[in-house]
Amino acid sequence: MAKRIWLDGKLVDSQQACIHVFDHGVLYGDGVFEGLRQYAGRVFKLDEHLRRLFDSAKSIRLPIPYSREQLAQAINETTAANELTDSYIRLVVTRGLGALGISPLNCAKPTVVIIADTIKMYSEETYRSGMAIITASTIRTSPAALSPKIKSLNYLNNIMAKWEAIDAGVSEAVMLNQHGYVCECTADNIFIVRDGVVFTPPEESGILLGITRGTVIELAARNEIQVRQVNLTRHDLYTADECFLTGTGAEIVPVTSIDRRAVGDGYVGPVTRLLTDAFRQEVRTPAASPIAAGV
Ligand code: PMP
């Protein structure tokens, strides 16, 4: 477990890193967060993550009491305090300490937490041989209710789908939207490959715009692999040659079975392998970050 946690501007022992029971993050899931990854001492796509955090916060009218530069610095302090160079970083901003009652006006100051720790989402065997997933009957929150672009502290919709995966004895569940089109898994975006072309649901399907998703789209273009962001149905999943999921924690994880049907020939396919290799190389390549450089 992480030794030191960054809490409201100070590094504290993890035993002392507590959130008040009247914090609206606890009472109402009122807040936003980011999951980031540090590889070889560098935080991957730091600027994109901070940008998404500030967009999520702005969308729910939550003023973050630090600048992007200050948060970048705080992330570095947290990884250094835990002597980590390869880590998973969780950055959480809640509405803060309030009173019983939903009004955000009860909360004077947001609570900001940074945790840096190690993470292993799936076994080596899963990355080598692929995993089984199902399609869930729980549909993804409609953008008309709450935009899935907001990475909020309220994951109940996804957790209900995760229960379906657990009940089915698999690791993940794909959620469809209210029109029956494929959205995303409970904490990952989804891609399929058919005849060498990569397909992934578009922004309008109602997904979190994953930063790993964006990286994979870029890497595919760089490798002259066509990517189409179009609505997909269950039929498209069942008839795909390959399938994989993307996320900061999971990275790229191959899927070889959906609803008990083998994807393609049931083995991890060549496009998934190529993109996984390209991704592994990319995360270790230094990228210019104006924020990390304090510009
Ligand atoms: N969709 C959901 C619902 C998520 O929670 C996440 C993050 N775990 C993703 C997609 C992937 O996003 P990213 O690549 O930015 O981690």
Side-chain angles (χ1 to χ4, degrees):
M1 199 170 71
K3 289 180 293 205
R4 309 268 286 159
I5 310 288
W6 195 94
L7 178 62
D8 292 332
K10 289 193 203 75
L11 282 162
V12 296
D13 279 352
S14 65
Q15 302 294 327
Q16 266 80 56
C18 301
I19 292 197
H20 201 283
V21 291
F22 280 88
D23 193 299
H24 278 209
V26 177
L27 289 177
Y28 300 110
D30 187 356
V32 294
F33 77 101
E34 274 301 314
L36 306 91
R37 198 81 183 239
Q38 178 204 33
Y39 295 97
R42 239 181 330 264
V43 180
F44 184 60
K45 304 262 174 184
L46 173 65
D47 303 7
E48 282 90 334
H49 281 284
L50 289 175
R51 187 164 184 188
R52 189 171 65 185
L53 180 80
F54 277 79
D55 283 348
S56 294
K58 188 168 186 193
S59 187
I60 67 161
R61 300 177 61 177
L62 173 61
I64 299 180
Y66 300 96
S67 67
R68 288 202 278 169
E69 291 73 14
Q70 285 171 320
L71 288 181
Q73 176 63 24
I75 289 170
N76 285 338
E77 281 167 27
T78 313
T79 53
N82 289 285
E83 292 163 25
L84 291 165
T85 51
D86 287 86
S87 63
Y88 176 83
I89 298 149
R90 178 59 63 91
L91 172 46
V92 183
V93 186
T94 77
R95 190 75 62 181
L97 178 59
L100 292 179
I102 199 171
S103 174
L105 294 177
N106 292 328
C107 308
K109 190 170 121 320
T111 304
V112 183
V113 179
I114 304 172
I115 304 165
D117 211 337
T118 50
I119 193 173
K120 193 165 171 58
M121 296 278 291
Y122 298 111
S123 68
E124 279 310 314
E125 173 56 21
T126 299
Y127 288 101
R128 231 185 349 261
S129 309
M131 70 179 189
I133 65 173
I134 56 156
T135 54
S137 63
T138 305
I139 61 164
R140 186 75 175 99
T141 309
S142 161
L146 180 73
S147 174
K149 287 184 192 167
I150 302 168
K151 200 162 165 63
S152 88
L153 289 183
N154 206 311
Y155 260 55
L156 269 183
N157 176 227
N158 311 49
I159 290 165
M160 290 303 106
K162 188 78 175 181
W163 269 123
E164 294 188 50
I166 294 166
D167 288 344
V170 299
S171 305
E172 256 297 0
V174 190
M175 305 168 83
L176 311 179
N177 64 20
Q178 71 271 34
H179 306 296
Y181 290 116
V182 175
C183 275
E184 59 184 336
C185 288
T186 65
D188 294 312
N189 292 113
I190 186 163
F191 287 76
I192 57 170
V193 183
R194 169 106 182 180
D195 296 332
V197 177
V198 171
F199 295 85
T200 196
E203 184 173 337
E204 318 80 76
S205 64
I207 55 172
L208 180 79
L209 284 175
I211 287 162
T212 321
R213 173 185 182 274
T215 306
V216 165
I217 291 171
E218 243 175 70
L219 290 172
R222 249 190 258 164
N223 284 277
E224 285 166 18
I225 298 168
Q226 202 192 328
V227 180
R228 298 191 54 206
Q229 300 181 47
V230 290
N231 276 327
L232 301 171
T233 61
R234 272 200 182 98
H235 169 83
D236 299 314
L237 300 184
Y238 296 155
T239 55
D241 300 328
E242 302 179 36
C243 176
F244 59 88
L245 312 182
T246 64
T248 297
E251 301 175 310
I252 298 178
V253 53
V255 171
T256 43
S257 155
I258 305 174
D259 289 340
R260 293 176 169 265
R261 296 155 164 90
V263 176
D265 58 8
Y267 295 97
V268 179
V271 177
T272 306
R273 279 192 200 290
L274 187 150
L275 290 171
T276 303
D277 290 345
F279 182 79
R280 290 195 175 141
Q281 210 177 327
E282 180 73 6
V283 296
R284 297 199 169 264
T285 306
S289 162
I291 288 176
V295 177

